[in-house]
Amino acid sequence: MPETAPLSDLMWTRGYTDPGWIRRFTSQGRELSPSRRVWRGEAPARPLPRGEADLDALDLVTTDAGALKLADLFAAVQTDAFLVMHRGQVVYERYLHGADAHTPHFNASAAKSYLGLAAATLAHRGLLDRNVPAAAYVPELAGTAFGDARVQDLLHMGTRVSYAGRRFDKAMEAQRYHAVIASQLRPFGYSGPTTIREHLLTARATGAPGEEFCYENGNVETLAEVLRRVTGLTTSALLSDLLWAKIGAEEDAYYILDGDGVEAACGGFSATARDVARLGEMLRCGGAVGDR
């Protein structure tokens, strides 16, 4: 993976900035951490029509050194999988660094949008009220930044938050979140939260919700807990029921779990490039898969 810039608090870089660990986690996450599958369902995989295009010859951008092509981009950003669909057809598909079409790959923060799709679906069905505080669904979060925010604020990352009295720093909080869900990333002497719920309970508001955007994982983890309370399902089962078993996925996906067996909803999701493409095609078609 690309080199990571030095961080001011070096004790928090244990494992997190190791390119070897990051590459292994992107394709072998369930071998490194507890995980739960997102079932693809019983239906056969939906075929992906193909219509090859020669994108290798495409000039992406012109630099002083000449034209930058896809191969240059793949090398520069350490690409593992790359798939392009155009009007329902796969026109380009490449796998590198040992990845293949059947290996679920880390989706990182794209997982936030998948959970947003699930929330929107439940709201459309009348099962989720966007305008009530999250604590109405998760009472133990009352008095926290996320519990006092409306579900709508969580969906738009409209909270302003400080964890355990720390001054908010996006990059550092991302690393601390990873220490919560992955014990192997915890620095020596770590004494902080060891589950997502514990982490959320330390969040305090530093401003009124709904007034400005602030990218923070806690919004998504709180939303995931709200959806679990609404449906009685794990995040994995809910995503399977609403999306994965409906799009004709070829492979099961999976979520990484914390110490409580709770899915890391904001980014611990892995799926194949082809199945992510199937999800994208469903969205391109206005929420339809074939005649459904």
Side-chain angles (χ1 to χ4, degrees), residues 133-198:
Y137 295 106
V138 191
E140 60 268 36
L141 289 180
T144 69
F146 301 119
D148 293 347
R150 299 174 306 159
V151 172
Q152 183 78 345
D153 300 325
L154 302 178
L155 284 163
H156 292 276
M157 288 199 174
T159 59
R160 297 167 65 184
V161 60
S162 169
Y163 286 101
R166 296 187 296 270
R167 181 176 178 273
F168 183 80
D169 178 271
K170 177 182 171 183
M172 195 60 63
E173 291 303 340
Q175 292 188 54
R176 289 179 182 271
Y177 169 80
H178 280 80
V180 168
I181 63 171
S183 59
Q184 62 267 53
L185 295 185
R186 292 171 190 163
F188 297 108
Y190 177 80
S191 60
T194 58
T195 68
I196 293 170
R197 290 190 182 104
E198 287 180 1

Short mmCIF file of all heavy atoms in Angstrom, two decimals, residues 133-198:
data_model
loop_
_atom_site.label_atom_id
_atom_site.label_comp_id
_atom_site.label_asym_id
_atom_site.label_seq_id
_atom_site.Cartn_x
_atom_site.Cartn_y
_atom_site.Cartn_z
N PRO A 133 -34.09 10.89 18.43
CA PRO A 133 -32.71 10.65 18.87
C PRO A 133 -32.36 9.18 18.82
O PRO A 133 -33.22 8.31 19.03
CB PRO A 133 -32.71 11.17 20.31
CG PRO A 133 -33.89 12.07 20.41
CD PRO A 133 -34.91 11.52 19.47
N ALA A 134 -31.11 8.88 18.55
CA ALA A 134 -30.67 7.49 18.50
C ALA A 134 -30.93 6.79 19.83
O ALA A 134 -31.17 5.58 19.86
CB ALA A 134 -29.18 7.43 18.14
N ALA A 135 -30.88 7.54 20.93
CA ALA A 135 -31.11 6.94 22.24
C ALA A 135 -32.52 6.40 22.40
O ALA A 135 -32.78 5.58 23.28
CB ALA A 135 -30.82 7.96 23.34
N ALA A 136 -33.45 6.82 21.54
CA ALA A 136 -34.79 6.25 21.58
C ALA A 136 -34.75 4.77 21.21
O ALA A 136 -35.61 3.99 21.63
CB ALA A 136 -35.71 7.01 20.62
N TYR A 137 -33.77 4.39 20.42
CA TYR A 137 -33.58 2.99 20.04
C TYR A 137 -32.51 2.30 20.89
O TYR A 137 -32.58 1.10 21.12
CB TYR A 137 -33.18 2.90 18.57
CG TYR A 137 -34.24 3.37 17.60
CD1 TYR A 137 -34.12 4.59 16.95
CD2 TYR A 137 -35.37 2.60 17.35
CE1 TYR A 137 -35.09 5.02 16.04
CE2 TYR A 137 -36.35 3.02 16.46
CZ TYR A 137 -36.20 4.24 15.81
OH TYR A 137 -37.16 4.66 14.93
N VAL A 138 -31.49 3.07 21.32
CA VAL A 138 -30.38 2.52 22.10
C VAL A 138 -30.27 3.34 23.39
O VAL A 138 -29.47 4.27 23.48
CB VAL A 138 -29.06 2.58 21.31
CG1 VAL A 138 -27.97 1.76 22.01
CG2 VAL A 138 -29.24 2.09 19.88
N PRO A 139 -31.09 3.04 24.40
CA PRO A 139 -31.18 3.89 25.59
C PRO A 139 -29.86 4.12 26.31
O PRO A 139 -29.65 5.20 26.88
CB PRO A 139 -32.17 3.13 26.48
CG PRO A 139 -32.98 2.30 25.54
CD PRO A 139 -32.04 1.92 24.44
N GLU A 140 -28.96 3.14 26.29
CA GLU A 140 -27.71 3.30 27.03
C GLU A 140 -26.80 4.37 26.45
O GLU A 140 -25.83 4.80 27.09
CB GLU A 140 -26.95 1.96 27.13
CG GLU A 140 -26.57 1.34 25.81
CD GLU A 140 -27.60 0.36 25.27
OE1 GLU A 140 -28.81 0.60 25.45
OE2 GLU A 140 -27.18 -0.64 24.67
N LEU A 141 -27.11 4.84 25.24
CA LEU A 141 -26.31 5.92 24.64
C LEU A 141 -26.84 7.30 24.97
O LEU A 141 -26.30 8.31 24.51
CB LEU A 141 -26.25 5.75 23.12
CG LEU A 141 -25.39 4.58 22.61
CD1 LEU A 141 -25.41 4.54 21.08
CD2 LEU A 141 -23.95 4.67 23.11
N ALA A 142 -27.90 7.40 25.78
CA ALA A 142 -28.42 8.70 26.20
C ALA A 142 -27.33 9.48 26.94
O ALA A 142 -26.60 8.92 27.77
CB ALA A 142 -29.64 8.52 27.10
N GLY A 143 -27.18 10.75 26.60
CA GLY A 143 -26.15 11.57 27.22
C GLY A 143 -24.83 11.58 26.47
O GLY A 143 -23.92 12.33 26.82
N THR A 144 -24.72 10.74 25.44
CA THR A 144 -23.52 10.74 24.60
C THR A 144 -23.77 11.56 23.34
O THR A 144 -24.93 11.86 23.00
CB THR A 144 -23.10 9.32 24.19
OG1 THR A 144 -24.08 8.79 23.28
CG2 THR A 144 -23.00 8.41 25.41
N ALA A 145 -22.71 11.91 22.64
CA ALA A 145 -22.85 12.72 21.43
C ALA A 145 -23.72 12.04 20.39
O ALA A 145 -24.51 12.68 19.70
CB ALA A 145 -21.46 13.02 20.85
N PHE A 146 -23.60 10.72 20.29
CA PHE A 146 -24.34 10.01 19.26
C PHE A 146 -25.75 9.65 19.72
O PHE A 146 -26.69 9.67 18.93
CB PHE A 146 -23.57 8.75 18.85
CG PHE A 146 -22.20 9.05 18.33
CD1 PHE A 146 -21.08 8.54 18.97
CD2 PHE A 146 -22.01 9.85 17.22
CE1 PHE A 146 -19.80 8.82 18.50
CE2 PHE A 146 -20.75 10.14 16.74
CZ PHE A 146 -19.64 9.62 17.38
N GLY A 147 -25.91 9.33 20.98
CA GLY A 147 -27.24 9.00 21.48
C GLY A 147 -28.19 10.17 21.46
O GLY A 147 -29.39 10.02 21.23
N ASP A 148 -27.67 11.38 21.69
CA ASP A 148 -28.51 12.57 21.71
C ASP A 148 -28.75 13.14 20.32
O ASP A 148 -29.57 14.05 20.15
CB ASP A 148 -27.88 13.64 22.59
CG ASP A 148 -27.87 13.24 24.06
OD1 ASP A 148 -28.56 12.26 24.41
OD2 ASP A 148 -27.17 13.89 24.86
N ALA A 149 -28.05 12.63 19.32
CA ALA A 149 -28.25 13.08 17.94
C ALA A 149 -29.40 12.30 17.31
O ALA A 149 -29.66 11.15 17.67
CB ALA A 149 -26.97 12.87 17.13
N ARG A 150 -30.09 12.93 16.37
CA ARG A 150 -31.14 12.23 15.64
C ARG A 150 -30.53 11.20 14.69
O ARG A 150 -29.38 11.32 14.28
CB ARG A 150 -31.99 13.21 14.83
CG ARG A 150 -32.71 14.28 15.62
CD ARG A 150 -33.36 15.26 14.66
NE ARG A 150 -32.39 15.79 13.71
CZ ARG A 150 -32.70 16.33 12.53
NH1 ARG A 150 -33.96 16.39 12.14
NH2 ARG A 150 -31.74 16.79 11.73
N VAL A 151 -31.33 10.22 14.33
CA VAL A 151 -30.89 9.25 13.33
C VAL A 151 -30.49 9.99 12.06
O VAL A 151 -29.50 9.64 11.41
CB VAL A 151 -32.01 8.23 13.05
CG1 VAL A 151 -31.65 7.34 11.87
CG2 VAL A 151 -32.29 7.40 14.29
N GLN A 152 -31.24 11.01 11.69
CA GLN A 152 -30.92 11.81 10.50
C GLN A 152 -29.54 12.44 10.61
O GLN A 152 -28.79 12.51 9.62
CB GLN A 152 -31.98 12.90 10.30
CG GLN A 152 -31.81 13.74 9.05
CD GLN A 152 -32.28 13.03 7.79
OE1 GLN A 152 -32.48 11.82 7.79
NE2 GLN A 152 -32.42 13.77 6.73
N ASP A 153 -29.17 12.89 11.80
CA ASP A 153 -27.83 13.47 12.00
C ASP A 153 -26.75 12.43 11.81
O ASP A 153 -25.69 12.71 11.24
CB ASP A 153 -27.72 14.08 13.40
CG ASP A 153 -28.73 15.19 13.65
OD1 ASP A 153 -29.03 15.93 12.69
OD2 ASP A 153 -29.22 15.29 14.78
N LEU A 154 -27.00 11.21 12.28
CA LEU A 154 -26.03 10.13 12.09
C LEU A 154 -25.85 9.83 10.60
O LEU A 154 -24.73 9.64 10.13
CB LEU A 154 -26.49 8.87 12.81
CG LEU A 154 -26.73 8.96 14.31
CD1 LEU A 154 -27.23 7.63 14.84
CD2 LEU A 154 -25.48 9.40 15.06
N LEU A 155 -26.96 9.79 9.87
CA LEU A 155 -26.90 9.48 8.43
C LEU A 155 -26.09 10.52 7.67
O LEU A 155 -25.47 10.20 6.65
CB LEU A 155 -28.31 9.40 7.86
CG LEU A 155 -29.09 8.13 8.19
CD1 LEU A 155 -30.57 8.32 7.94
CD2 LEU A 155 -28.57 6.96 7.37
N HIS A 156 -26.07 11.75 8.15
CA HIS A 156 -25.35 12.82 7.46
C HIS A 156 -24.05 13.21 8.17
O HIS A 156 -23.45 14.23 7.86
CB HIS A 156 -26.25 14.04 7.32
CG HIS A 156 -27.39 13.83 6.37
ND1 HIS A 156 -27.26 14.00 5.01
CD2 HIS A 156 -28.66 13.43 6.58
CE1 HIS A 156 -28.41 13.72 4.41
NE2 HIS A 156 -29.27 13.36 5.34
N MET A 157 -23.62 12.38 9.15
CA MET A 157 -22.42 12.68 9.94
C MET A 157 -22.47 14.12 10.44
O MET A 157 -21.53 14.90 10.26
CB MET A 157 -21.15 12.41 9.12
CG MET A 157 -20.87 10.95 8.90
SD MET A 157 -19.15 10.65 8.45
CE MET A 157 -19.13 8.86 8.45
N GLY A 158 -23.57 14.44 11.08
CA GLY A 158 -23.78 15.80 11.55
C GLY A 158 -23.51 15.99 13.03
O GLY A 158 -24.10 16.88 13.64
N THR A 159 -22.66 15.16 13.62
CA THR A 159 -22.33 15.30 15.03
C THR A 159 -20.97 15.96 15.19
O THR A 159 -20.10 15.87 14.33
CB THR A 159 -22.31 13.93 15.73
OG1 THR A 159 -21.34 13.10 15.08
CG2 THR A 159 -23.68 13.27 15.68
N ARG A 160 -20.80 16.62 16.34
CA ARG A 160 -19.50 17.18 16.72
C ARG A 160 -19.14 16.51 18.04
O ARG A 160 -19.88 16.60 19.01
CB ARG A 160 -19.60 18.69 16.85
CG ARG A 160 -19.94 19.36 15.53
CD ARG A 160 -20.36 20.82 15.71
NE ARG A 160 -19.27 21.63 16.22
CZ ARG A 160 -19.40 22.93 16.53
NH1 ARG A 160 -20.57 23.52 16.41
NH2 ARG A 160 -18.37 23.60 16.98
N VAL A 161 -17.98 15.86 18.06
CA VAL A 161 -17.73 14.90 19.14
C VAL A 161 -16.30 14.97 19.64
O VAL A 161 -15.36 15.32 18.91
CB VAL A 161 -18.06 13.47 18.64
CG1 VAL A 161 -17.19 13.11 17.45
CG2 VAL A 161 -17.93 12.44 19.74
N SER A 162 -16.15 14.61 20.90
CA SER A 162 -14.84 14.39 21.51
C SER A 162 -14.90 13.07 22.25
O SER A 162 -15.89 12.77 22.93
CB SER A 162 -14.52 15.53 22.49
OG SER A 162 -13.39 15.21 23.28
N TYR A 163 -13.87 12.24 22.11
CA TYR A 163 -13.83 10.96 22.80
C TYR A 163 -12.98 11.07 24.06
O TYR A 163 -11.82 11.53 24.01
CB TYR A 163 -13.23 9.88 21.89
CG TYR A 163 -14.14 9.41 20.80
CD1 TYR A 163 -13.98 9.86 19.49
CD2 TYR A 163 -15.16 8.50 21.07
CE1 TYR A 163 -14.82 9.42 18.48
CE2 TYR A 163 -16.00 8.06 20.06
CZ TYR A 163 -15.83 8.52 18.77
OH TYR A 163 -16.66 8.08 17.77
N ALA A 164 -13.55 10.63 25.17
CA ALA A 164 -12.83 10.56 26.45
C ALA A 164 -12.13 11.87 26.78
O ALA A 164 -11.06 11.88 27.40
CB ALA A 164 -11.83 9.40 26.42
N GLY A 165 -12.72 12.98 26.37
CA GLY A 165 -12.16 14.29 26.67
C GLY A 165 -11.02 14.71 25.78
O GLY A 165 -10.44 15.80 25.98
N ARG A 166 -10.66 13.90 24.79
CA ARG A 166 -9.56 14.27 23.89
C ARG A 166 -10.02 15.33 22.89
O ARG A 166 -11.16 15.34 22.45
CB ARG A 166 -9.06 13.05 23.09
CG ARG A 166 -8.46 11.95 23.91
CD ARG A 166 -7.85 10.89 22.99
NE ARG A 166 -8.83 10.22 22.16
CZ ARG A 166 -9.48 9.12 22.51
NH1 ARG A 166 -9.28 8.56 23.68
NH2 ARG A 166 -10.35 8.56 21.67
N ARG A 167 -9.10 16.18 22.48
CA ARG A 167 -9.37 17.08 21.37
C ARG A 167 -9.49 16.23 20.10
O ARG A 167 -8.66 15.39 19.82
CB ARG A 167 -8.23 18.09 21.23
CG ARG A 167 -8.42 19.09 20.10
CD ARG A 167 -7.28 20.11 20.11
NE ARG A 167 -7.42 21.06 19.01
CZ ARG A 167 -6.94 20.86 17.78
NH1 ARG A 167 -6.28 19.75 17.50
NH2 ARG A 167 -7.10 21.78 16.83
N PHE A 168 -10.55 16.45 19.31
CA PHE A 168 -10.80 15.59 18.16
C PHE A 168 -9.75 15.78 17.08
O PHE A 168 -9.43 16.89 16.67
CB PHE A 168 -12.19 15.90 17.56
CG PHE A 168 -12.54 14.99 16.41
CD1 PHE A 168 -13.01 13.72 16.63
CD2 PHE A 168 -12.39 15.43 15.09
CE1 PHE A 168 -13.34 12.87 15.57
CE2 PHE A 168 -12.70 14.59 14.02
CZ PHE A 168 -13.18 13.31 14.27
N ASP A 169 -9.18 14.67 16.64
CA ASP A 169 -8.24 14.65 15.53
C ASP A 169 -8.62 13.46 14.66
O ASP A 169 -8.54 12.31 15.10
CB ASP A 169 -6.81 14.50 16.02
CG ASP A 169 -5.81 14.43 14.87
OD1 ASP A 169 -5.55 13.31 14.39
OD2 ASP A 169 -5.32 15.49 14.45
N LYS A 170 -9.06 13.72 13.43
CA LYS A 170 -9.64 12.68 12.58
C LYS A 170 -8.69 11.50 12.39
O LYS A 170 -9.09 10.34 12.57
CB LYS A 170 -10.02 13.28 11.23
CG LYS A 170 -10.55 12.28 10.23
CD LYS A 170 -10.86 12.96 8.90
CE LYS A 170 -11.19 11.95 7.83
NZ LYS A 170 -11.43 12.60 6.52
N ALA A 171 -7.45 11.76 12.02
CA ALA A 171 -6.51 10.67 11.75
C ALA A 171 -6.23 9.85 12.99
O ALA A 171 -6.18 8.61 12.96
CB ALA A 171 -5.22 11.24 11.18
N MET A 172 -6.05 10.53 14.13
CA MET A 172 -5.73 9.81 15.35
C MET A 172 -6.93 9.00 15.84
O MET A 172 -6.78 7.86 16.31
CB MET A 172 -5.29 10.79 16.43
CG MET A 172 -4.61 10.13 17.61
SD MET A 172 -3.11 9.22 17.13
CE MET A 172 -2.10 10.56 16.53
N GLU A 173 -8.13 9.55 15.71
CA GLU A 173 -9.31 8.81 16.14
C GLU A 173 -9.55 7.59 15.26
O GLU A 173 -10.07 6.56 15.73
CB GLU A 173 -10.54 9.71 16.17
CG GLU A 173 -10.52 10.78 17.24
CD GLU A 173 -10.33 10.24 18.66
OE1 GLU A 173 -10.60 9.03 18.89
OE2 GLU A 173 -9.90 11.01 19.53
N ALA A 174 -9.19 7.67 13.99
CA ALA A 174 -9.31 6.50 13.11
C ALA A 174 -8.42 5.38 13.62
O ALA A 174 -8.80 4.20 13.64
CB ALA A 174 -8.96 6.87 11.68
N GLN A 175 -7.20 5.73 14.06
CA GLN A 175 -6.30 4.71 14.58
C GLN A 175 -6.78 4.14 15.90
O GLN A 175 -6.70 2.94 16.16
CB GLN A 175 -4.91 5.30 14.75
CG GLN A 175 -4.25 5.65 13.42
CD GLN A 175 -2.81 6.05 13.60
OE1 GLN A 175 -2.04 5.32 14.19
NE2 GLN A 175 -2.46 7.21 13.09
N ARG A 176 -7.31 5.00 16.75
CA ARG A 176 -7.84 4.53 18.03
C ARG A 176 -9.04 3.60 17.81
O ARG A 176 -9.22 2.64 18.55
CB ARG A 176 -8.21 5.72 18.91
CG ARG A 176 -6.99 6.48 19.45
CD ARG A 176 -7.42 7.66 20.31
NE ARG A 176 -6.28 8.41 20.78
CZ ARG A 176 -5.61 8.17 21.92
NH1 ARG A 176 -6.00 7.16 22.68
NH2 ARG A 176 -4.60 8.91 22.29
N TYR A 177 -9.84 3.89 16.79
CA TYR A 177 -10.96 3.01 16.47
C TYR A 177 -10.45 1.63 16.07
O TYR A 177 -11.00 0.60 16.48
CB TYR A 177 -11.81 3.62 15.35
CG TYR A 177 -12.83 2.65 14.79
CD1 TYR A 177 -14.03 2.44 15.44
CD2 TYR A 177 -12.57 1.93 13.62
CE1 TYR A 177 -14.96 1.53 14.95
CE2 TYR A 177 -13.49 1.03 13.11
CZ TYR A 177 -14.69 0.83 13.78
OH TYR A 177 -15.59 -0.06 13.29
N HIS A 178 -9.40 1.59 15.26
CA HIS A 178 -8.84 0.30 14.86
C HIS A 178 -8.28 -0.46 16.06
O HIS A 178 -8.35 -1.69 16.11
CB HIS A 178 -7.74 0.50 13.80
CG HIS A 178 -8.29 0.72 12.44
ND1 HIS A 178 -8.77 1.93 12.02
CD2 HIS A 178 -8.45 -0.12 11.39
CE1 HIS A 178 -9.21 1.83 10.77
NE2 HIS A 178 -9.02 0.61 10.36
N ALA A 179 -7.76 0.26 17.03
CA ALA A 179 -7.28 -0.41 18.25
C ALA A 179 -8.44 -1.02 19.03
O ALA A 179 -8.28 -2.03 19.70
CB ALA A 179 -6.52 0.59 19.13
N VAL A 180 -9.62 -0.41 18.93
CA VAL A 180 -10.80 -0.95 19.60
C VAL A 180 -11.19 -2.30 19.01
O VAL A 180 -11.48 -3.25 19.73
CB VAL A 180 -11.98 0.04 19.50
CG1 VAL A 180 -13.29 -0.62 19.94
CG2 VAL A 180 -11.71 1.29 20.34
N ILE A 181 -11.20 -2.39 17.68
CA ILE A 181 -11.72 -3.59 17.03
C ILE A 181 -10.66 -4.65 16.74
O ILE A 181 -11.02 -5.80 16.48
CB ILE A 181 -12.46 -3.25 15.72
CG1 ILE A 181 -11.50 -2.62 14.70
CG2 ILE A 181 -13.64 -2.34 15.99
CD1 ILE A 181 -12.10 -2.46 13.33
N ALA A 182 -9.39 -4.29 16.77
CA ALA A 182 -8.34 -5.24 16.42
C ALA A 182 -7.26 -5.22 17.51
O ALA A 182 -6.47 -4.28 17.58
CB ALA A 182 -7.73 -4.91 15.07
N SER A 183 -7.24 -6.24 18.33
CA SER A 183 -6.31 -6.26 19.47
C SER A 183 -4.86 -6.21 19.02
O SER A 183 -4.00 -5.68 19.73
CB SER A 183 -6.56 -7.51 20.32
OG SER A 183 -6.39 -8.69 19.56
N GLN A 184 -4.56 -6.76 17.82
CA GLN A 184 -3.17 -6.78 17.37
C GLN A 184 -2.66 -5.39 16.99
O GLN A 184 -1.45 -5.19 16.82
CB GLN A 184 -3.00 -7.74 16.18
CG GLN A 184 -3.79 -7.39 14.94
CD GLN A 184 -5.13 -8.08 14.90
OE1 GLN A 184 -5.89 -7.99 15.85
NE2 GLN A 184 -5.42 -8.77 13.80
N LEU A 185 -3.56 -4.42 16.89
CA LEU A 185 -3.14 -3.06 16.56
C LEU A 185 -3.01 -2.17 17.79
O LEU A 185 -2.66 -1.00 17.68
CB LEU A 185 -4.15 -2.42 15.59
CG LEU A 185 -4.24 -3.05 14.22
CD1 LEU A 185 -5.19 -2.25 13.32
CD2 LEU A 185 -2.87 -3.13 13.56
N ARG A 186 -3.31 -2.71 18.96
CA ARG A 186 -3.24 -1.89 20.16
C ARG A 186 -1.79 -1.65 20.56
O ARG A 186 -0.98 -2.57 20.57
CB ARG A 186 -3.99 -2.58 21.31
CG ARG A 186 -5.49 -2.63 21.07
CD ARG A 186 -6.20 -3.49 22.09
NE ARG A 186 -7.59 -3.69 21.66
CZ ARG A 186 -8.38 -4.63 22.12
NH1 ARG A 186 -7.92 -5.48 23.03
NH2 ARG A 186 -9.63 -4.73 21.67
N PRO A 187 -1.47 -0.41 20.90
CA PRO A 187 -0.11 -0.12 21.36
C PRO A 187 0.15 -0.77 22.71
O PRO A 187 -0.77 -1.12 23.44
CB PRO A 187 -0.09 1.41 21.46
CG PRO A 187 -1.52 1.78 21.68
CD PRO A 187 -2.33 0.78 20.92
N PHE A 188 1.42 -0.93 23.03
CA PHE A 188 1.79 -1.51 24.32
C PHE A 188 1.25 -0.63 25.44
O PHE A 188 1.33 0.60 25.39
CB PHE A 188 3.31 -1.65 24.42
CG PHE A 188 3.89 -2.58 23.40
CD1 PHE A 188 4.63 -2.09 22.33
CD2 PHE A 188 3.66 -3.95 23.47
CE1 PHE A 188 5.15 -2.94 21.36
CE2 PHE A 188 4.18 -4.81 22.51
CZ PHE A 188 4.92 -4.29 21.46
N GLY A 189 0.67 -1.26 26.44
CA GLY A 189 0.12 -0.52 27.56
C GLY A 189 -1.26 0.04 27.31
O GLY A 189 -1.77 0.83 28.11
N TYR A 190 -1.91 -0.39 26.23
CA TYR A 190 -3.24 0.12 25.89
C TYR A 190 -4.24 -0.19 27.00
O TYR A 190 -4.31 -1.32 27.50
CB TYR A 190 -3.71 -0.50 24.59
CG TYR A 190 -5.11 -0.10 24.17
CD1 TYR A 190 -5.32 1.12 23.54
CD2 TYR A 190 -6.20 -0.94 24.39
CE1 TYR A 190 -6.61 1.50 23.15
CE2 TYR A 190 -7.48 -0.57 24.00
CZ TYR A 190 -7.68 0.66 23.39
OH TYR A 190 -8.94 1.02 23.00
N SER A 191 -5.03 0.81 27.40
CA SER A 191 -6.03 0.62 28.46
C SER A 191 -7.37 1.23 28.08
O SER A 191 -8.21 1.46 28.94
CB SER A 191 -5.53 1.24 29.78
OG SER A 191 -5.31 2.64 29.61
N GLY A 192 -7.58 1.48 26.79
CA GLY A 192 -8.81 2.10 26.34
C GLY A 192 -9.91 1.11 26.07
O GLY A 192 -9.81 -0.08 26.44
N PRO A 193 -10.99 1.54 25.42
CA PRO A 193 -12.12 0.65 25.12
C PRO A 193 -11.69 -0.54 24.28
O PRO A 193 -10.82 -0.43 23.41
CB PRO A 193 -13.08 1.56 24.34
CG PRO A 193 -12.70 2.94 24.72
CD PRO A 193 -11.23 2.91 24.95
N THR A 194 -12.31 -1.68 24.53
CA THR A 194 -11.98 -2.90 23.77
C THR A 194 -13.16 -3.39 22.94
O THR A 194 -13.07 -4.44 22.31
CB THR A 194 -11.54 -4.02 24.72
OG1 THR A 194 -12.57 -4.27 25.68
CG2 THR A 194 -10.26 -3.62 25.46
N THR A 195 -14.28 -2.65 22.96
CA THR A 195 -15.42 -2.97 22.11
C THR A 195 -15.98 -1.68 21.53
O THR A 195 -15.74 -0.58 22.07
CB THR A 195 -16.54 -3.69 22.88
OG1 THR A 195 -17.13 -2.78 23.82
CG2 THR A 195 -16.02 -4.92 23.59
N ILE A 196 -16.74 -1.80 20.46
CA ILE A 196 -17.32 -0.62 19.83
C ILE A 196 -18.27 0.09 20.79
O ILE A 196 -18.27 1.32 20.88
CB ILE A 196 -18.05 -1.03 18.53
CG1 ILE A 196 -17.02 -1.51 17.50
CG2 ILE A 196 -18.86 0.13 17.97
CD1 ILE A 196 -17.64 -2.17 16.28
N ARG A 197 -19.09 -0.66 21.52
CA ARG A 197 -20.04 -0.04 22.45
C ARG A 197 -19.31 0.76 23.52
O ARG A 197 -19.72 1.88 23.87
CB ARG A 197 -20.93 -1.11 23.09
CG ARG A 197 -21.93 -1.75 22.12
CD ARG A 197 -22.93 -2.61 22.86
NE ARG A 197 -23.86 -3.26 21.94
CZ ARG A 197 -23.80 -4.53 21.59
NH1 ARG A 197 -22.84 -5.30 22.06
NH2 ARG A 197 -24.69 -5.06 20.76
N GLU A 198 -18.25 0.20 24.07
CA GLU A 198 -17.47 0.94 25.07
C GLU A 198 -16.93 2.23 24.48
O GLU A 198 -16.93 3.28 25.14
CB GLU A 198 -16.31 0.08 25.56
CG GLU A 198 -16.71 -1.07 26.47
CD GLU A 198 -15.50 -1.88 26.92
OE1 GLU A 198 -14.36 -1.53 26.52
OE2 GLU A 198 -15.68 -2.86 27.64
#
